[in-house]
Amino acid sequence: MDSISLRSTRRLALARAGLLKPEWTDLPSKAAGGGKRALNAALAVIRRFGYLQLDTVSISGARTHSIVLLSRLQGMDSTLGEQLLRPGNPLFEYWGHEASWIPVELYPYFGFRRKEFRSHPWFGDVLTQHKKIAKHILSRLRKEGPMRSSEIGGKNHGGWWNLGAEKKVLLGLWCAGDLAIRERSGFQRIYDLPERVIPREHATKKVPLSQAIEKLLLLSLEGHGFASTSTLAATFRLKKKKKEIESALRRLQEKKSIVPCGLLPEDGSSIRGWIRPDDLELSQRLSRIRPRKDRGVLLSPFDPVLWDRGRVLQLFGFDQTLEIYKPAPQRVYGYYCLPVLAGDRLVGRVDLKADRKKGVLKVLSRHFGGIEKPKKPAPCDQEAMKTALLRFGDGVGLEVSGVGSAQTI
């Protein structure tokens, strides 16, 4: 079995994620000026992972899908991230890692999920239980054209788990593939019939489950660099398909698309995983580079590099946490902290709050270090945090308040 060092694995993960220089990532690093060039740069990043995860929280001045792109594409206007799902753009919205914008060419590969989700994963078989409601919704869309979710469904009775029948059926129709999301406006979904959203060549293509699993596993590995079977399964939520995953990995190995590989941590142990042959060669070259330590970038807490918290701890020695659901007195770092990446290290995190009326991005707190907290942050880490905040402020169009202080506020 081939092996890869911890440092090489970490750098490979960042290279595949588009977070090193373009010569190592094979991805664009700038998106200034907007227009077609910026859109194509954003689409290139999304295609690398196969998904761009969505979330509603915008307290830092942008939602996660914009932050992921801002961290990779210098000069990008954060509003681009909100405008990606538009008629004519090659994306569709569905369950990828979570609710995500996904390259439209992958639509056939999620046919198995649309079939499984005819019984909604949370609400059950609402389409059978409420046939009249489903028929009425489809009839309205057919006759009246695209509609916002607020125009179709009934009232929300107080929270996600207390939705009325109309809302549940609407979501059930989307999950089953009987509806598609045409676009987002003000981050509100606009639904339409799939034949008016998904190009025919993708909508009519049938992909066997075995082929779909192979495609999604290989795409997962393309985004991670090196990954364990568990991480690969979690990327597109395939954990309940253990037998199919094992078979797909064997076939990919036989095709020489992937090879087994052992990650060698500093404690002398070995962690089994997988890597593409080209990435194994790239990892060897990456071990000799010197990433710049004093230039930082902020990452979304839902960044593809960060959602696997065990992997983040393993590769970066960083305790990635999300404290949105904790009461304020119980939070250690803050409500919605953005980790700071400097070179190939996670050097700290900041909690931000945007004030659009005043044009200010407030730094509520900043913390240096990961598992190990330094008594005093290194000058290069202080500079990296400063440059990360200034770059992010430019991206969201706000002036950063409190950027000069290196201490926790």
Side-chain angles (χ1 to χ4, degrees):
M1 181 187 294
D2 291 296
S3 62
I4 183 173
S5 70
L6 182 63
R7 180 172 66 178
S8 294
T9 305
R10 180 170 62 246
R11 292 178 178 179
L12 178 62
L14 295 174
R16 297 310 303 163
L19 289 166
L20 293 180
K21 291 182 178 181
E23 55 263 38
W24 301 109
T25 67
D26 196 29
L27 283 173
S29 62
K30 296 181 180 180
K36 193 70 173 179
R37 181 175 294 182
L39 173 62
N40 288 338
L43 292 173
V45 172
I46 298 171
R47 287 194 174 101
R48 170 61 57 86
F49 301 111
Y51 69 93
L52 181 64
Q53 184 176 340
L54 305 174
D55 191 73
T56 60
V57 179
S58 59
I59 190 170
S60 64
R63 296 184 177 91
T64 181
H65 39 286
S66 292
I67 299 173
V68 168
L69 297 174
L70 285 171
S71 64
R72 290 152 172 84
L73 302 173
Q74 192 158 13
M76 191 192 96
D77 188 324
S78 63
T79 58
L80 173 63
E82 297 294 330
Q83 300 167 358
L84 290 172
L85 193 67
R86 292 287 187 272
N89 285 355
L91 298 172
F92 74 104
E93 183 170 329
Y94 197 60
W95 296 109
H97 176 69
E98 295 289 351
S100 305
W101 288 338
I102 303 171
V104 74
E105 60 268 22
L106 293 178
Y107 186 85
Y109 296 90
F110 287 90
F112 75 93
R113 182 158 292 165
R114 291 190 293 274
K115 183 177 180 180
E116 292 173 353
F117 281 10
R118 293 210 68 80
S119 179
H120 195 278
W122 301 319
F123 307 138
D125 192 7
V126 291
L127 300 185
T128 299
Q129 296 165 9
H130 302 286
K131 290 182 179 179
K132 289 185 178 179
I133 295 175
K135 185 177 180 180
H136 176 69
I137 290 173
L138 291 170
S139 178
R140 282 195 64 192
L141 281 163
R142 193 172 294 112
K143 294 176 181 177
E144 301 175 38
M147 289 186 179
R148 295 173 182 268
S149 54
S150 59
E151 297 174 309
I152 304 174
K155 293 182 179 180
N156 185 336
H157 298 293
W160 184 256
W161 299 107
N162 197 25
L163 296 178
E166 293 89 348
K167 291 289 188 186
K168 290 180 179 179
V169 171
L170 180 62
L171 290 170
L173 289 168
W174 170 59
C175 288
D178 294 336
L179 289 182
I181 297 171
R182 182 180 182 86
E183 60 183 306
R184 290 259 190 171
S185 179
F187 207 58
Q188 185 175 149
R189 290 167 169 170
I190 297 177
Y191 289 91
D192 202 349
L193 300 177
E195 57 264 31
R196 299 199 293 234
V197 176
I198 307 299
R200 181 175 175 79
E201 65 267 25
H202 302 307
T204 57
K205 183 179 178 181
K206 305 298 182 183
V207 174
L209 175 61
S210 59
Q211 185 179 338
I213 299 297
E214 278 190 38
K215 176 73 172 182
L216 295 179
L217 289 175
L218 195 57
L219 189 55
S220 302
L221 197 58
E222 184 178 352
H224 290 305
F226 165 92
S228 66
T229 300
S230 177
T231 294
L232 294 178
T235 303
F236 284 103
R237 302 306 191 197
L238 301 173
K239 284 193 171 183
K240 293 183 179 180
K241 297 190 172 354
K242 185 176 180 180
K243 290 183 179 179
E244 292 87 347
I245 288 171
E246 290 175 350
S247 296
L249 289 172
R250 283 197 299 270
R251 292 193 300 273
L252 289 170
Q253 186 178 359
E254 289 169 0
K255 296 175 186 176
K256 299 183 179 180
S257 299
I258 64 174
V259 295
C261 185
L263 167 60
L264 304 178
E266 295 174 355
D267 62 7
S269 62
S270 179
I271 298 166
R272 292 178 63 89
W274 303 90
I275 195 170
R276 301 185 310 163
D278 286 349
D279 286 340
L280 183 61
E281 189 275 331
L282 174 61
S283 71
Q284 296 169 353
R285 290 186 285 128
L286 287 169
S287 66
R288 299 188 290 271
I289 70 171
R290 294 184 179 181
R292 189 164 179 170
K293 296 181 178 181
D294 62 343
R295 288 292 180 268
V297 64
L298 299 186
L299 301 182
S300 162
F302 299 112
D303 194 283
V305 171
L306 297 180
W307 57 254
D308 188 334
R309 297 179 186 180
R311 188 169 185 263
V312 174
L313 181 62
Q314 186 180 80
L315 296 186
F316 296 93
F318 191 84
D319 52 334
Q320 169 59 10
T321 59
L322 186 62
E323 301 181 290
I324 288 177
Y325 304 108
K326 290 184 179 180
Q330 296 179 19
R331 294 174 196 146
V332 177
Y333 301 111
Y335 176 75
Y336 191 80
C337 282
L338 279 64
V340 180
L341 176 70
D344 64 349
R345 301 173 304 129
L346 290 172
V347 301
R349 67 199 90 201
V350 295
D351 192 26
L352 307 175
K353 184 175 183 179
D355 188 336
R356 289 286 176 188
K357 289 184 178 180
K358 295 182 179 179
V360 170
L361 184 64
K362 299 178 182 178
V363 181
L364 302 181
S365 71
R366 60 180 85 200
H367 297 265
F368 288 93
I371 292 297
E372 296 183 5
K373 314 298 181 188
K375 293 182 179 179
K376 184 178 180 181
C380 62
D381 293 350
Q382 296 181 45
E383 182 64 18
M385 185 173 285
K386 180 178 178 180
T387 60
L389 283 165
L390 291 174
R391 172 173 167 170
F392 186 78
D394 287 342
V396 298
L398 297 171
E399 183 178 352
V400 181
S401 174
V403 69
S405 172
Q407 303 303 314
T408 298
I409 299 173

